């Protein structure tokens, strides 16, 4: 039986000062059996099962190592800046019924996670609350909810469990990003689809010194590939990389660049020789950088990710997500840009088990 324990109580940051990560219950914990019961037997049986098993902690889900790594970074930040509010703050964001809350609380206490803010919406979509929580990143197992969040201008991704277990660092948070349509706009992917690789390479050489997402709307290129393109709009995860960079600089200012517990990676299918400079110059123009940049020129990303062992990898294309999963990487799909399949109509029924 899980019993309550004294909670750590550092100074709680104001939500607007923290880097807020909203995580759904099915991202943080494995709830496969519970989801099966909901799907096959309905809401009442689902809630009854949860109540009967509320003293049994859930098993860790795909976001669990990521959350633990966030807490490890917070510990280091607290040691260096005891009064700073510039830390990660984790919110459990779920459309589960509040009756399930006791089991979730017991599970969080069982694993000694520092998650004190909950949002449980009883079957309604939690997306409308994300901005009120000052959310910097939303992770969910529900692709529809992630699309809702992206449409609201919130960084979000659908997280998937890897096909095999791989040991990840417990002392250094490692986050890997694809470039186009994740950090950058989908401008280049639109050109590839419309005109092919040769014209893409020509375009990148021509605009090497112009940051991605900053072409003029009356550009001939724009007219040729999509006059409705969201020019001037970076990818959804740019803000999250900015937040990571801000926290990294707190360690750098203490002379701890080499010992920094946050490490970021750009893992892109771009070729370094033909289109890599523009990606790096775009980051530079934003005042950003990644610790490592890996240009694969179309080669599979999975084997490189297996060496990096990130806590999470973000990509806008599902075949890269699947390749990462096969190699043991926790991968998250960012449903943004021209590479996405046509969107389904919004669901009319909210699922208690979907989050």
């Amino acid at each position: 039986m899980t019993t309550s324990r004294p909670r750590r109580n550092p100074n709680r940051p104001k939500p607007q000062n923290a880097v807020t990560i909203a995580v759904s219950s099915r991202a943080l914990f494995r709830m496969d059996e519970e989801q099966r019961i909901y799907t096959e037997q309905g809401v009442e049986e689902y809630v009854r099962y949860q109540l009967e098993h509320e003293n049994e902690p859930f098993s860790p889900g795909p976001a669990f190592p990521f959350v633990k790594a966030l807490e490890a970074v917070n510990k280091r930040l607290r040691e260096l800046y005891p009064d700073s509010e510039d830390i990660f703050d984790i919110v459990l964001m779920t459309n589960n019924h509040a009756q399930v809350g006791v089991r979730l609380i017991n599970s969080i206490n069982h694993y000694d996670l520092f998650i004190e803010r909950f949002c449980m919406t009883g079957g309604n979509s939690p997306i409308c609350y994300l901005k009120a929580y000052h959310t910097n990143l939303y992770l969910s197992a529900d692709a529809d909810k992630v699309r809702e969040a992206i449409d609201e201008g919130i960084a979000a991704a659908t997280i998937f469990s890897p096909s095999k277990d791989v040991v990840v660092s417990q002392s250094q948070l490692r986050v890997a990003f694809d470039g186009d349509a994740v950090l950058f706009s989908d401008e280049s992917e639109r050109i590839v689809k419309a005109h092919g690789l040769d014209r893409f390479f020509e375009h990148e050489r021509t605009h090497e010194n112009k940051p991605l997402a900053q072409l003029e709307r009356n550009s001939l290129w724009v007219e040729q590939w999509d006059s409705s393109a969201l020019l001037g709009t970076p990818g959804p995860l740019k803000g999250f990389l900015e937040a990571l960079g801000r926290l990294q600089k707190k360690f750098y200012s203490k002379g701890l660049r080499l010992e920094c517990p946050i490490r970021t990676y750009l893992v892109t299918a771009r070729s370094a020789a033909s289109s890599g400079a523009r990606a790096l110059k775009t980051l530079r123009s934003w005042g950003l950088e990644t610790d490592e940049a890996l240009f694969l020129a179309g080669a599979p990303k999975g084997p490189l990710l297996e060496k990096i062992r990130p806590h999470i990898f973000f990509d806008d294309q599902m075949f890269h997500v699947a390749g990462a999963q096969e190699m043991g990487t926790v991968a998250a799909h960012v449903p943004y840009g021209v590479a996405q399949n046509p969107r389904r109509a919004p669901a009319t029924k909210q699922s208690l088990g979907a989050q």
Side-chain angles (χ1 to χ4, degrees):
M1 176 178 178
T2 302
T3 58
S4 61
R5 66 185 70 185
R7 300 294 290 155
R8 294 165 286 166
N9 190 31
N11 297 331
R12 287 213 52 77
K14 294 183 178 65
Q16 62 270 28
N17 295 337
V19 179
T20 300
I21 312 297
V23 184
S24 77
S25 55
R26 275 210 300 143
L28 185 59
F29 298 117
R30 292 190 183 275
M31 303 177 68
D32 298 340
E33 177 63 15
E34 291 76 11
Q35 183 70 9
R36 183 191 66 78
I37 290 171
Y38 172 81
T39 302
E40 296 178 0
Q41 301 179 42
V43 149
E44 296 305 322
E45 185 61 25
Y46 170 84
V47 172
R48 185 190 67 80
Y49 179 89
Q50 295 281 32
L51 292 175
E52 289 181 352
H53 294 80
E54 68 180 20
N55 291 319
E56 299 173 14
F58 293 111
S59 297
F64 188 93
F66 176 64
V67 168
K68 292 292 287 185
L70 297 177
E71 294 193 343
V73 173
N74 278 354
K75 182 179 179 181
R76 294 282 304 279
L77 284 168
R78 288 296 192 194
E79 291 170 354
L80 295 174
Y81 302 92
D83 299 321
S84 175
E85 295 183 335
D86 203 5
I87 62 173
F88 293 109
D89 191 21
I90 303 153
V91 178
L92 189 68
M93 185 77 62
T94 173
N95 63 358
N96 261 299
H97 195 281
Q99 290 288 352
V100 183
V102 173
R103 190 176 184 194
L104 289 168
I105 291 170
N106 285 343
S107 297
I108 285 168
N109 286 337
H110 174 79
Y111 295 109
D112 198 27
L113 299 175
F114 190 67
I115 301 177
E116 294 196 326
R117 293 204 290 161
F118 275 39
C119 179
M120 308 188 70
T121 60
N124 293 324
S125 174
I127 303 306
C128 63
Y129 294 105
L130 289 173
K131 287 185 178 178
Y133 277 87
H134 298 274
T135 301
N136 295 91
L137 175 67
Y138 171 59
L139 297 175
S140 174
D142 187 321
D144 290 332
K145 298 296 179 296
V146 168
R147 291 189 189 97
E148 286 182 47
I150 292 282
D151 288 343
E152 291 295 318
I154 295 166
T158 310
I159 193 167
F160 295 89
S161 296
S163 300
K164 61 182 180 181
D165 291 331
V166 171
V167 177
V168 293
S169 174
Q170 296 184 12
S171 59
Q172 184 181 63
L173 170 66
R174 298 178 185 175
V175 183
F177 301 88
D178 178 34
D180 297 301
V182 174
L183 295 177
F184 313 130
S185 72
D186 69 340
E187 169 198 323
S188 296
E189 289 187 357
R190 288 176 181 270
I191 292 171
V192 171
K193 285 186 174 294
H195 300 289
L197 279 174
D198 289 341
R199 294 293 293 276
F200 164 72
F201 294 143
E202 177 189 344
H203 173 268
E204 293 300 287
R205 286 192 295 269
T206 302
H207 297 94
E208 178 180 319
N209 294 313
K210 186 177 286 292
L212 284 151
Q214 291 188 12
L215 287 181
E216 294 80 6
R217 286 189 180 278
N218 61 358
S219 162
L220 176 62
W221 286 99
V222 176
E223 294 173 0
Q224 286 178 330
W225 42 272
D226 190 347
S227 61
S228 66
L230 295 175
L231 298 181
T233 304
L237 273 291
K238 178 199 173 191
F240 181 52
L241 178 59
E242 287 176 330
L244 293 177
R246 186 175 77 244
L247 295 183
Q248 283 180 311
K249 288 175 182 176
K250 295 175 78 70
F251 292 96
Y252 299 168
S253 67
K254 297 288 188 178
L256 298 173
R257 178 179 285 269
L258 297 181
E259 295 81 24
C260 181
I262 303 172
R263 192 165 183 83
T264 56
Y265 304 79
L266 175 66
V267 182
T268 173
R270 282 173 173 259
S271 163
S274 58
S275 59
R278 193 178 183 206
L280 296 178
K281 288 182 178 181
T282 296
L283 289 176
R284 185 190 302 166
S285 75
W286 292 341
L288 297 176
E289 60 180 305
T290 55
D291 294 293
E292 298 188 27
L294 306 175
F295 294 94
L296 304 185
K301 297 180 180 181
L304 270 295
L305 292 168
E306 185 181 28
K307 298 298 183 183
I308 295 170
R309 299 195 175 190
H311 293 87
I312 193 166
F313 165 62
F314 296 99
D315 202 291
D316 68 306
Q317 300 192 47
M318 278 302 301
F319 70 90
H320 287 310
V321 170
Q325 284 181 274
E326 290 177 7
M327 305 303 289
T329 296
V330 173
H333 178 238
V334 180
Y336 179 80
V338 70
Q340 307 310 308
N341 293 324
R343 293 190 174 190
R344 294 173 289 176
T348 56
K349 176 185 176 183
Q350 299 295 344
S351 164
L352 284 172
Q355 291 285 300

